[in-house]
Amino acid sequence: MWETLAQAVINGLLIGGIYALVSIGVTLIFGVVKIVNFAQGEFVMIGMYISFFLATQFGIDPLVSLVVSMPVLFLAGVLIQHFLIRRVLGPNDMPQIFLTFALSLLLLNLSLMLFSANYRTVHTSYSDEAWHIGGLYIPLAKLIAFAVAMALSGLLWVFLHTTDLGRAMRAASQNRDVAMLMGINPNRVFAVAFGTALALAGAAGSLLMPFYSAYPFVGQVFVLMAFVAVVMGTLGNVMGALVASLMMGIAESLGIQFVGADSGLIVVFGLLLLTLAFRPSGLGARRGR
Amino acid sequence: MTGDRKPPAINNAAPTQASRTKLNRRKFLARTGGALAAGAFGAVPLRGWAADPINIGALYPTTGSMAQIGTGCVAAAKLAVDMVNEAGGIKSLGGARLNLIVSDVQSDTTVTRTETDRLITGNKLSAIHGCYASALTLIASEVCERAHVPIITGSSSDQLNKGRSYTFTPFARASQFAKAQLQMAKLVSDQAKVAVIFENTAFGTSTSNGLKELAPGEGVEIVMFEPYSAGFTDASPLINKVKASGANTLFSLSYLNDLILIVRTVKQVGLDIAINGGSGGFVMPDFYKNVGKAAEGLQGVAHWNHDVNEDAQKVNAEFKKRTGEFAFEYAGGLVAQTFMLADALERAASADPKKVREALSTLDVSSGYAAMAPGGKVKFGPDGKNVYGRPVGVQWQNADLASIFPKEDARAPLIKT
């Protein structure tokens, strides 16, 4: 019993790391640029395909291809912010919603056309490996993905708290208007935020590749969890999204283990409703706000 | 299209009968202008017409989610038509050649209905084959029924044998697959304890219920019966449960992506359990490409396998030469189906679809390419079902599918993992 429970928690925690990378991206964009990026999942998908093609064409390990997928998606993010998002930022939310939603549909169907609906899998020496400790096992590929995800989240935290640009992003996230009045260049901050968020999505894609299949709809699986985590961890709160993602990974895993294999999401959404009932602004909200 | 009308193209097609072909081609073009117009929308008349060609319609999803399989089916259909034509065509019709008219049903039920309609009304067809996926074939067969054009198919849904007189299914039915899977569990252990995990969709639920009903009769104990949501991110919790159930065989009724995760997780956990992945995507070359070595030893069921007899091996070699992959169950079965049609056309001595249907209903073959199926014989009952049809149990061995069950069809011993 305890063994099963411990195993379920380990499984949940490891997959929660991937959810975290996606949800941190969503929450970062929401916090700084104040738009909801519905296309975040599709950028995870693009990250996966980048890693897939680098692995199959040039034999590059998916983890190594992180150094390609992250900059490529960062650049894509900057360009998308500059040429698309910037134009629709205004008092009205509707154009922004339609823009990112359209972007999601466009990328999804484009990849269907280019890559077909087939599942693409990469094989690495560690894909099927696991460490056995006592009665428990830890899949190596997922452990690596989790560790890198946590390291990237840590780096982001350091960036947001110690650099001028990072502080500017946090300032813009807390109160955009005042930040502007303090002389922060919004376009630069927005572009970096959007780029960083997409780079994280790309990282999630590359980290997933050793143990998950790439296909055009793959982003949808992760973006649903990301949105739940973002809401649960308070919109715009990076730390909140991280913690909420890990919690949801564990909740899902426990749900599958103890409620039923088709009930993982029931537990996740139950947890979300409970959280919102007692802390309507989410886990990361400051009291008294 | 315009290139076809130039003499060089004709010479290229059949140098020895250049003048005859030229005349007939003109006649053909005049007669089937509609088909050529339809070509722009995806119905493509292929090479191979000589004296009054016999049109065979082929409905396959060559775009959309099933595109890859559909493309493989079309490759097999072309191979089969070439084989029949190279062997002299339909002799009772003056050596008439088969002319394949391919139509893309786009992996979509609505498109299947309109494409089947268009194919039938735009062409003078003798018969149709299609559509790989049962959901699509069910619709196409309805349209064929109304239009009185026979359709022959490798789709496995039992529904195809209900209330239809123009539908012919020469291979094992879905209900037979379940039984074969249960019997295979007994190969692994005398005390078969089976864990059934299935995605909570129509496909998963109906197939798993079939297994559950049949299990007691086959003396197989089901120790775990668990639905899961398709498209999960992590199979570990599910495999944890399988481990706890003490099963020695795992039936996974899943689509490819989930199945890959399940197989990998079983390896990671180090669980000693035989896995039976059923049919469909599991018995495709693509599965091995995706799963790699972890697929070795995995079992499944198919309605056809390339090692059933020598003819099948010949077909497999030719298919491999053309596409680079081994002939998967539907592709190989499709070649057999085309020869069944040729046999019916030969006996009907007519290209009239109603007469072809009559001839199909009295088909009785036990040799040659038409009989290349598990069981080795084809004869249709009143419901269009091959009375000798049975599935073959297969196992992935050395990146290839080997037939291991039943005894009569086994071509390799079962490797216990």
Side-chain angles (χ1 to χ4, degrees):
Chain A
M1 175 66 196
W2 286 111
E3 207 171 86
T4 316
L5 182 71
Q7 186 65 56
V9 171
I10 291 173
N11 294 336
L13 199 64
L14 293 183
I15 197 71
I18 298 292
Y19 294 158
L21 279 185
V22 188
S23 62
I24 288 174
V26 173
T27 213
L28 193 65
I29 293 176
F30 184 84
V32 178
V33 195
K34 296 281 181 267
I35 66 164
V36 177
N37 183 18
F38 287 103
Q40 192 76 6
E42 276 57 57
F43 293 109
V44 176
M45 179 260 293
I46 292 172
M48 291 187 84
Y49 276 110
I50 289 175
S51 287
F52 171 77
F53 284 112
L54 286 176
T56 47
Q57 302 298 318
F58 304 103
I60 298 171
D61 189 281
L63 294 177
V64 179
S65 61
L66 208 72
V67 298
V68 179
S69 63
M70 286 187 72
V72 166
L73 278 157
F74 181 86
L75 194 67
V78 171
L79 293 176
I80 288 169
Q81 163 64 28
H82 188 78
F83 289 106
L84 296 172
I85 309 284
R86 197 162 62 99
R87 324 253 162 187
V88 296
L89 287 179
N92 190 350
D93 286 342
M94 275 317 196
Q96 306 161 9
I97 292 173
F98 288 136
L99 180 80
T100 62
F101 201 67
L103 198 61
S104 160
L105 289 176
L106 178 79
L107 292 172
L108 220 157
N109 286 291
L110 214 57
S111 64
L112 261 179
M113 202 171 86
L114 293 176
F115 313 131
S116 83
N118 293 320
Y119 296 112
R120 316 284 187 138
T121 316
V122 169
H123 259 276
T124 61
S125 52
Y126 49 88
S127 281
D128 302 331
E129 292 300 314
W131 279 343
H132 291 259
I133 303 163
L136 306 175
Y137 74 96
I138 302 172
L140 205 53
K142 279 182 196 157
L143 183 67
I144 297 171
F146 178 79
V148 177
M150 288 305 107
L152 288 173
S153 308
L155 274 178
L156 179 70
W157 195 89
V158 171
F159 167 73
L160 289 176
H161 285 82
T162 59
T163 64
D164 284 347
L165 193 58
R167 286 201 190 95
M169 276 163 69
R170 278 168 57 224
S173 144
Q174 278 165 11
N175 192 325
R176 196 158 84 188
D177 299 330
V178 175
M180 304 301 124
L181 290 173
M182 297 296 120
I184 287 170
N185 175 355
N187 286 336
R188 186 152 162 257
V189 167
F190 290 0
V192 172
F194 212 91
T196 308
L198 262 53
L200 289 177
S206 294
L207 291 173
L208 274 170
M209 213 52 228
F211 63 93
Y212 207 69
S213 314
Y215 56 101
F217 296 96
V218 70
Q220 317 255 306
V221 177
F222 292 93
V223 86
L224 176 71
M225 287 304 235
F227 279 130
V228 177
V230 165
V231 173
M232 199 162 117
T234 303
L235 286 159
N237 187 321
V238 170
M239 215 42 168
L242 173 67
V243 173
S245 297
L246 297 180
M247 280 174 62
M248 272 172 11
I250 295 171
E252 188 190 20
S253 174
L254 289 176
I256 293 175
Q257 191 79 57
F258 296 107
V259 183
D262 53 353
S263 312
L265 285 180
I266 295 178
V267 178
V268 166
F269 283 101
L271 193 63
L272 174 71
L273 288 180
L274 266 180
T275 310
L276 293 183
F278 290 102
R279 304 203 49 179
S281 306
L283 295 172
R286 289 201 193 98
R287 287 178 193 281
R289 255 180 91 184
Chain B
M1 287 300 151
T2 49
D4 280 351
R5 287 175 200 162
K6 286 176 196 156
I10 293 164
N11 289 336
N12 191 24
T16 50
Q17 319 173 311
S19 55
R20 265 181 63 201
T21 320
K22 194 171 180 179
L23 259 176
N24 284 308
R25 172 148 327 191
R26 198 162 287 157
K27 230 193 307 178
F28 175 80
L29 282 172
R31 227 180 275 160
T32 56
L36 290 174
F41 298 97
V44 186
L46 295 154
R47 75 179 188 89
W49 45 73
D52 269 347
I54 296 162
N55 291 332
I56 305 289
L59 292 163
Y60 293 98
T62 52
T63 57
S65 59
M66 301 169 200
Q68 200 177 19
I69 295 165
T71 316
C73 291
V74 171
K78 285 181 187 171
L79 166 64
V81 161
D82 288 350
M83 284 169 72
V84 171
N85 289 345
E86 271 158 30
I90 307 300
K91 290 164 197 88
S92 68
L93 288 168
R97 297 165 78 85
L98 297 185
N99 175 39
L100 191 69
I101 304 178
V102 181
S103 184
D104 176 17
V105 295
Q106 299 176 13
S107 321
D108 182 292
T109 47
T110 320
V111 177
T112 302
R113 191 176 295 280
T114 52
E115 275 304 306
T116 312
D117 248 334
R118 201 216 304 266
L119 192 66
I120 292 172
T121 48
N123 303 277
K124 213 170 152 284
L125 298 177
S126 298
I128 286 181
H129 55 68
C131 312
Y132 178 71
S134 285
L136 305 180
T137 313
L138 278 166
I139 297 199
S141 78
E142 271 174 33
V143 179
C144 290
E145 198 70 31
R146 277 203 307 274
H148 299 300
V149 175
I151 180 169
I152 190 163
T153 177
S155 297
S156 62
S157 169
D158 289 88
Q159 207 64 30
L160 284 164
N161 304 99
K162 288 179 185 139
R164 289 168 167 82
S165 55
Y166 277 80
T167 304
F168 295 90
T169 58
F171 300 108
R173 318 312 304 142
S175 50
Q176 292 174 287
F177 280 112
K179 206 169 173 181
Q181 269 184 289
L182 288 165
Q183 288 166 347
M184 286 171 79
K186 287 190 288 192
L187 296 179
V188 178
S189 163
D190 294 335
Q191 283 180 315
K193 288 181 185 168
V194 175
V196 181
I197 54 179
F198 54 99
E199 56 166 50
N200 56 354
T201 58
F203 151 72
T205 315
S206 62
T207 318
S208 60
N209 282 331
L211 283 169
K212 202 179 189 179
E213 278 166 29
L214 290 169
E218 296 297 332
V220 172
E221 187 190 352
I222 292 186
V223 293
M224 177 183 164
F225 192 77
E226 181 102 5
Y228 69 84
S229 345
F232 50 31
T233 50
D234 185 11
S236 322
L238 196 57
I239 299 307
N240 261 359
K241 283 190 147 178
V242 175
K243 191 180 177 185
S245 75
N248 49 27
T249 295
L250 172 64
F251 288 177
S252 179
L253 310 170
S254 324
Y255 283 110
L256 190 58
N257 190 36
D258 295 338
L259 193 56
I260 293 170
L261 275 181
I262 288 166
V263 170
R264 279 186 167 176
T265 311
V266 166
K267 300 280 164 194
Q268 285 168 353
V269 177
L271 194 55
D272 181 27
I273 195 167
I275 302 176
N276 193 314
S279 58
F282 179 75
V283 289
M284 300 290 296
D286 226 33
F287 178 77
Y288 197 91
K289 271 197 244 158
N290 271 300
V291 181
K293 279 219 153 33
E296 289 290 335
L298 264 55
Q299 304 168 28
V301 277
H303 68 241
W304 189 91
N305 198 28
H306 56 76
D307 61 3
V308 285
N309 64 21
E310 267 179 36
D311 287 334
Q313 276 163 355
K314 270 186 236 161
V315 169
N316 183 42
E318 186 58 32
F319 190 81
K320 224 177 201 167
K321 212 194 286 169
R322 290 190 181 196
T323 66
E325 310 275 11
F326 69 76
F328 56 97
E329 55 163 353
Y330 208 99
L334 190 45
V335 175
Q337 286 172 37
T338 306
F339 275 90
M340 290 170 211
L341 288 178
D343 182 282
L345 282 160
E346 197 69 75
R347 284 182 295 109
S350 160
D352 178 51
K354 283 183 193 154
K355 296 207 173 110
V356 174
R357 191 213 82 87
E358 285 306 313
L360 271 174
S361 68
T362 57
L363 181 94
D364 191 354
V365 287
S366 54
S367 66
Y369 289 110
M372 145 183 97
K377 286 192 268 188
V378 182
K379 182 181 172 186
F380 294 112
D383 52 1
K385 202 189 286 185
N386 175 10
V387 294
Y388 303 113
R390 67 171 180 231
V392 57
V394 293
Q395 184 175 39
W396 282 105
Q397 296 181 355
N398 304 318
D400 201 357
L401 278 178
S403 300
I404 53 153
F405 178 85
K407 258 205 191 90
E408 303 86 340
D409 295 323
R411 301 291 177 265
L414 170 84
I415 293 176
K416 295 200 179 182
T417 44

